[in-house]
Every structure is written in C-alpha cells, then in structure tokens.
Amino acid sequence: MKLSWIFGPSMEAHHLLYAYVAAWLIQGGYAAWIAWHWFKTGKNARASGLPTGPRDDS
Amino acid sequence: MTRSRIYGLAGFVWFLLTIAAIVRATRLGLLVAPTEATMGNVQRIFYYHVPTSMLSLLFPYVNFGASLCYLYWRSRDPLKALTADAVAIASAEVTVVYASICLLTGMLWGRAAWGIWWTWDARLTSMLLLWLLYVSYLMLRKLSATGQAHTLAAVLSVFAAIDVPIVYMSIQWWRTQHPAPVFFGGPDSGIDPSMMPAFKWNVIGWAMWGIFLLTFRYALERRRQQIEQDNALQAIEASLEIAQ
C-alpha cells in the first residue's frame, strides 16, 4: 500500500490531502477546545471548593 | 465507583472505539476503495464530504428538539430547561463544526472537479445559509446582553431548522451545479458496491465522533451551569449572613 500519490504534485492530490487534513484539524481543534475548558472549569471549581463532577444522587 | 467515574470511563471507551472506527474508515477511503473512473483520486474526498454533510443536517434536529423542550420547560421546570439548553448549545456547536467541514471539503472538491471554488447554486447557498444561521445562534448566545438570550436563541433555532429540508431537497427542486443525490435519488443513483464499505465506515466513524463531541460538550455545559448555580447559592448565603 503506497500513499505517495496523495503527496503528488497535482492539484487533485493537494486538494485531497487538504480536505482530509482540514477535517482532522477542525474536529481535533474543537475536541481540544472542549477538553481545555473541561479541565480549566474543573480546576477553577476545585480552587473555590465546588464539586466538579455531575451530582451524585445515588 | 461513583456515577461520574462510570460516565468518564464509558466516555473514554467510546472515544477509543470512535478513533478505531475513523482510522479504519480513513484507511478504507484512501487505500482500499477503488479509484473512481472519471474524477480519479480526488473523488476520495466523497468519503469525508458526504458523511459530514449528512450529519450536519441531522444535528440541527437535536438542537431543534432541545430548543423546543427549553421553550416548553423554561417557566414550568427551570432545571429541565437548563438540561435542554445544554443539549441545544452542544448540538449547535457540533452542527457548525460539521457544516464547516462540509463546505470546506466541498470547495476543495469543486475546485478540482469543476474548476471553481464556489457557485451560488441552491445547494451551496442554502448550506452556507444553514452555517450562518447556527453561527448567528452561537453569537447571539455569546454576545447578547439581555437576560432573554437563551430564549431568543431557542426561537432562532426553530427558524434555522426550517432550512434543513430546503438544503436536503434543493438538488431535487432546482437545477444545480451540485450533483444529484447519490442515495435515494432515483434508479440511476447510488455508488459502486466496492465503494460502500469505505462510505459506511465513514458514516459510522463520524457519527460516533459527533455523538462523542455532543456528549462531551453537554457535560462541559452542565458543569458550568452547576458552578454558576453553586456560586449564586453561595452569594445568597453570604448576603443572608451579612443581613444577620
């Protein structure tokens, strides 16, 4: 299995590569943004003595 | 084991399964599926473009349902309304993410296949409008100074959902540069059976990823709401102590 054609000089190869990389970057960037806020929110909550997880009613 | 730990573990397992599905889907799309006869390798953008486009038309309905629930519960049961509001913002953001990828991959494909980046035909324009509506929804929530921002956003989401069937039907109602429906588009529609595994796995993988993002973003919003409620409660308790 060769991936060399994806990195070829043609516009088709470039655009195929850009499309796949753009999808990963946008999806990964958004997931990273959520994760960053998740940990930041948890850290702030712990600093002020507030609970960080969903309320445990069980 | 506490409930939050069980949720965390389940989320992590789901995340790993999703990554495995996307890796398999990408491998099938890039390396295993046959090269299309007329467009060549650039047609492989299809395996990302079509599943993300399909999902960008499904998540608005999650937002629509959650917004209707919010409008119904906001005066009857505020706690349920907060839950619905968290689902609404999570689904709106995921919609913007998927619609952005749909537009971007479509433009990259269009430039290579048609020779143009963009054309103002019904499908592309209605999809751009859908993206703009959900960006407006998020900006309204973020920037509005009134206390009614969430209610106004919920009403906007009901109007935004009307655009979804227009996007879907646009290639049947009007003559467009965009190709006719690949699926459910009549006797000549469909793809070669050898391309189906790559397509199906991409639908599965990106749907699982969308569910992961939606759930993770929902959990973040619930955590923020809980902190806001606890802060408000502490402020009330402090003010009562001062009064005494």
Side-chain angles (χ1 to χ4, degrees):
Chain A
M1 286 184 289
K2 286 183 181 176
L3 277 170
S4 56
W5 53 268
I6 299 177
F7 303 103
S10 67
M11 183 176 72
E12 284 80 4
H14 285 158
H15 283 215
L16 177 61
L17 183 66
Y18 296 158
Y20 274 62
V21 172
W24 296 332
L25 285 178
I26 293 171
Q27 297 279 17
Y30 179 57
W33 179 86
I34 301 174
W36 184 70
H37 280 276
W38 175 260
F39 290 114
K40 196 178 90 168
T41 312
K43 202 175 169 184
N44 290 347
R46 276 191 296 275
S48 56
L50 295 169
T52 54
R55 288 190 195 284
D56 219 340
D57 300 327
S58 57
Chain B
M1 192 181 269
T2 61
R3 194 190 291 182
S4 59
R5 272 195 177 278
I6 294 169
Y7 287 156
L9 193 65
F12 186 65
V13 171
W14 182 268
F15 173 75
L16 291 179
L17 288 173
T18 301
I19 295 298
I22 290 174
V23 168
R24 179 174 168 75
T26 304
R27 183 183 161 275
L28 286 172
L30 286 179
L31 302 171
V32 179
T35 306
E36 206 264 342
T38 51
M39 281 186 278
N41 282 321
V42 78
Q43 179 271 343
R44 293 175 196 276
I45 294 177
F46 169 91
Y47 301 115
Y48 269 27
H49 176 73
V50 177
T52 49
S53 308
M54 287 164 60
L55 292 162
S56 70
L57 299 182
L58 284 178
F59 288 118
Y61 282 112
V62 179
N63 179 261
F64 175 65
S67 297
L68 286 181
C69 289
Y70 175 80
L71 291 172
Y72 179 77
W73 278 326
R74 75 193 165 104
S75 54
R76 293 175 178 86
D77 190 338
L79 287 178
K80 281 185 181 172
L82 279 176
T83 308
D85 192 54
V87 175
I89 190 168
S91 53
E93 286 185 7
V94 174
T95 299
V96 170
V97 167
Y98 276 77
S100 303
I101 293 169
C102 163
L103 289 168
L104 200 62
T105 54
M107 285 166 69
L108 286 163
W109 193 1
R111 178 70 179 89
W114 308 331
I116 48 171
W117 290 102
W118 186 264
T119 180
W120 294 102
D121 83 353
R123 166 54 73 90
L124 276 68
T125 308
S126 57
M127 191 66 205
L128 179 65
L129 183 66
L130 185 80
W131 184 84
L132 286 170
L133 281 165
Y134 281 95
V135 170
S136 312
Y137 172 93
L138 295 174
M139 289 183 75
L140 175 65
R141 289 183 63 117
K142 182 86 178 167
L143 303 175
S144 175
T146 71
Q148 297 294 314
H150 293 200
T151 307
L152 291 172
V155 174
L156 175 62
S157 132
V158 174
F159 289 115
I162 296 169
D163 190 39
V164 176
I166 297 174
V167 177
Y168 181 75
M169 294 303 294
S170 58
I171 45 179
Q172 298 191 28
W173 287 344
W174 298 289
R175 285 184 65 187
T176 59
Q177 176 89 18
H178 192 280
V182 177
F183 302 102
F184 313 113
D188 295 331
S189 65
I191 57 172
D192 191 85
S194 60
M195 295 174 172
M196 278 308 279
F199 174 72
K200 281 181 180 170
W201 272 98
N202 272 290
V203 172
I204 292 167
W206 291 113
M208 287 175 73
W209 178 255
I211 292 166
F212 169 75
L213 287 180
L214 188 72
T215 313
F216 196 9
R217 180 65 183 86
Y218 165 79
L220 172 63
E221 193 61 21
R222 292 295 288 160
R223 178 182 270 192
R224 282 178 172 168
Q225 289 173 352
Q226 186 187 322
I227 290 169
E228 277 177 20
Q229 286 173 357
D230 288 334
N231 282 340
L233 200 63
Q234 281 184 0
I236 291 167
E237 284 171 356
S239 66
L240 287 173
E241 282 171 15
I242 291 167
Q244 285 169 0

